[in-house]
Amino acid sequence: MKTYINGIGCVSAQKTDGDFASGFHVNQATNVLPIEKPEYKDYFSPIAARRMSKAVKNGIVASTMAMKEANLEMPGAIITGTGMGCIEDSDKFLKAIIDNNEEFLTPTSFIQSTHNTVAAQIALGLECKAYNFTYVNAAVSFESALIDGKLQLDEGEADAVLIGGIDEMTDYTASLFKLAGFIKKDEEGSFPILESQTPGTVFGEGATFFVLESKKSATTYAEVVDIEINNEIEADILQLKVFDFLSANGLGVDDIDLLVVGINGDAQFEEHYRELTQKQFVHTPQAYYKHLSGEYNTASAFGLYLAANVVKTQNVPPIVQVNGQTKPEYKNVLLYNHYRGIDHSFTLISKA
């Protein structure tokens, strides 16, 4: 079966509710990018919103946007990926344990802190009793959900699948990540991603959902051809891995019209990206996206949002270009991502 992206919803550090890339901007003044909050009142009541974490609210908004665009009322499966889950409610519950001496605890934050809360809330809102699954697999959580969604269509288990990647950031988590060196130091000042010479990266948060269907429609963005995930790949064999992945799909390096990479500005872990951008795909148009979305476990979902829009609009915005090269047509797009040298993923999409 074919797998087509027929609807997308995205809540991120960028305005994505207008024309593609029209609201994109680069914020180099902070090392944790704030989210562009949608009009939550358009999706649920203020009373309901008060009981929801950022991940739940953003997940519901993004999934609703994707389903609306695809003209889908009820998905045959809901599959999400998240690295940190609803960390905001986890923080609240753990803080309450300490503040209340482990006594008189309300269970609300604990109940809502589980990683599958977003998928469950979406299903409850839709009254959807179909297959519902959440993958918690670090930086390949979203790709795991994408593989599962494609399998659901391939096996005929569903005709339409709602998949998404969601992660949130809290002040407390950000402070821990800064302490661990995952986030660039505050005193560094400006925080450019491309050509960065310092360790750490710029973090963010977001929710990006896709409606996958086995048939094309008027809203089709692109076809999802193949996905592959690897926990570890040595830099010196990365090019061979990419060659094998493309060969399995009847393609070569010259057939790739755009390479989308997850460059995040962490100078300690850029070797793998350089293996592709400066060697194997040096003459291929290249794009990056984490200067727009920030880094988080499911940031690659924002990368797929970018790639799918490039295929649909046949336009690579200058704000995401790495090497300035262009092609008259963008038919095959390869996405490559990893985080801190592990959890490598390849995603191949093509013009439908």
Side-chain angles (χ1 to χ4, degrees):
M1 298 291 288
K2 297 283 189 179
T3 301
Y4 298 103
I5 299 173
N6 288 346
I8 301 178
C10 183
V11 178
S12 69
Q14 304 295 321
K15 285 187 175 296
T16 53
D17 53 358
D19 294 335
F20 173 54
S22 63
F24 284 4
H25 68 282
V26 179
N27 182 358
Q28 295 185 349
T30 179
N31 51 5
V32 179
L33 298 178
I35 202 166
E36 288 282 351
K37 294 182 181 179
E39 290 291 341
Y40 292 125
K41 67 179 186 302
D42 294 340
Y43 298 89
F44 31 71
S45 69
I47 295 175
R50 282 205 305 269
R51 296 193 297 269
M52 297 178 181
S53 68
K54 288 188 292 183
V56 172
K57 288 189 287 189
N58 294 333
I60 291 175
V61 171
S63 61
T64 302
M65 292 167 61
M67 290 179 60
K68 182 178 180 181
E69 185 176 35
N71 297 311
L72 178 66
E73 293 185 1
M74 186 67 67
I78 299 173
I79 309 170
T80 60
T82 179
M84 300 292 289
C86 296
I87 193 69
E88 184 177 27
D89 280 303
S90 297
D91 287 351
K92 286 180 182 178
F93 185 71
L94 293 173
K95 187 175 185 299
I97 289 177
I98 297 170
D99 293 345
N100 293 285
N101 235 1
E102 301 183 20
E103 298 178 333
F104 313 117
L105 298 173
T106 58
T108 306
S109 293
F110 175 74
I111 294 169
Q112 295 180 342
S113 69
T114 57
H115 290 70
N116 63 343
T117 299
V118 178
Q121 289 295 326
I122 293 171
L124 285 170
L126 295 173
E127 297 185 6
C128 176
K129 300 177 182 179
Y131 178 85
N132 192 299
F133 206 90
T134 296
Y135 286 89
V136 185
N137 201 7
V140 290
S141 298
F142 171 71
E143 286 78 6
S144 300
L146 184 58
I147 290 172
D148 193 356
K150 194 174 190 315
L151 285 172
Q152 294 293 319
L153 297 179
D154 288 345
E155 297 298 321
E157 296 292 332
D159 293 324
V161 178
L162 178 67
I163 71 161
I166 319 101
D167 274 297
E168 64 182 5
M169 178 57 68
T170 67
D171 291 340
Y172 181 64
T173 303
S175 69
L176 294 179
F177 280 13
K178 289 177 182 178
L179 190 64
F182 297 163
I183 297 178
K184 290 189 180 297
K185 296 180 179 178
D186 293 338
E187 59 268 23
E188 286 181 24
S190 182
F191 303 99
I193 295 299
L194 214 56
E195 306 299 335
S196 170
Q197 301 298 316
T198 58
T201 184
V202 174
F203 258 73
E205 59 185 342
T208 309
F209 274 76
F210 304 82
V211 170
L212 305 181
E213 294 183 297
S214 53
K215 295 181 180 179
K216 290 171 61 176
S217 71
T219 61
T220 296
Y221 282 80
E223 178 189 350
V224 179
V225 179
D226 199 5
I227 314 104
E228 181 180 316
I229 58 178
N230 296 268
N231 180 246
E232 293 184 359
I233 303 177
E234 295 298 328
D236 56 357
I237 66 166
L238 178 61
Q239 295 185 56
L240 179 61
K241 275 289 198 179
V242 173
F243 178 81
D244 290 343
F245 176 71
L246 294 178
S247 296
N249 291 283
L251 299 174
V253 172
D254 293 338
D255 295 311
I256 299 302
D257 302 304
L258 179 68
L259 174 68
V260 180
V261 287
I263 294 172
N264 65 6
D266 192 331
Q268 292 179 300
F269 301 99
E270 293 294 272
E271 183 181 5
H272 287 80
Y273 292 125
R274 287 196 297 268
E275 282 293 315
L276 300 188
T277 59
Q278 297 179 14
K279 295 179 181 179
Q280 197 171 24
F281 292 93
V282 67
H283 299 299
T284 301
Q286 302 165 8
Y288 71 129
Y289 55 90
K290 289 180 181 175
H291 60 311
L292 301 177
S293 67
E295 177 67 275
Y296 51 97
N297 285 133
T298 53
S300 53
F302 185 89
L304 183 58
Y305 153 80
L306 171 69
N309 273 281
V310 167
V311 173
K312 185 174 184 177
T313 64
Q314 291 294 296
N315 171 51
V316 182
I319 197 171
V320 301
Q321 292 179 14
V322 175
N323 58 1
Q325 297 194 33
T326 60
K327 280 196 174 183
E329 182 183 24
Y330 298 98
K331 182 180 179 182
N332 298 308
V333 178
L334 175 65
L335 294 91
Y336 168 61
N337 183 62
H338 74 78
Y339 179 59
R340 297 183 67 82
I342 61 172
D343 293 333
H344 304 261
S345 64
F346 307 116
T347 304
L348 178 65
I349 67 172
S350 66
K351 190 175 179 180

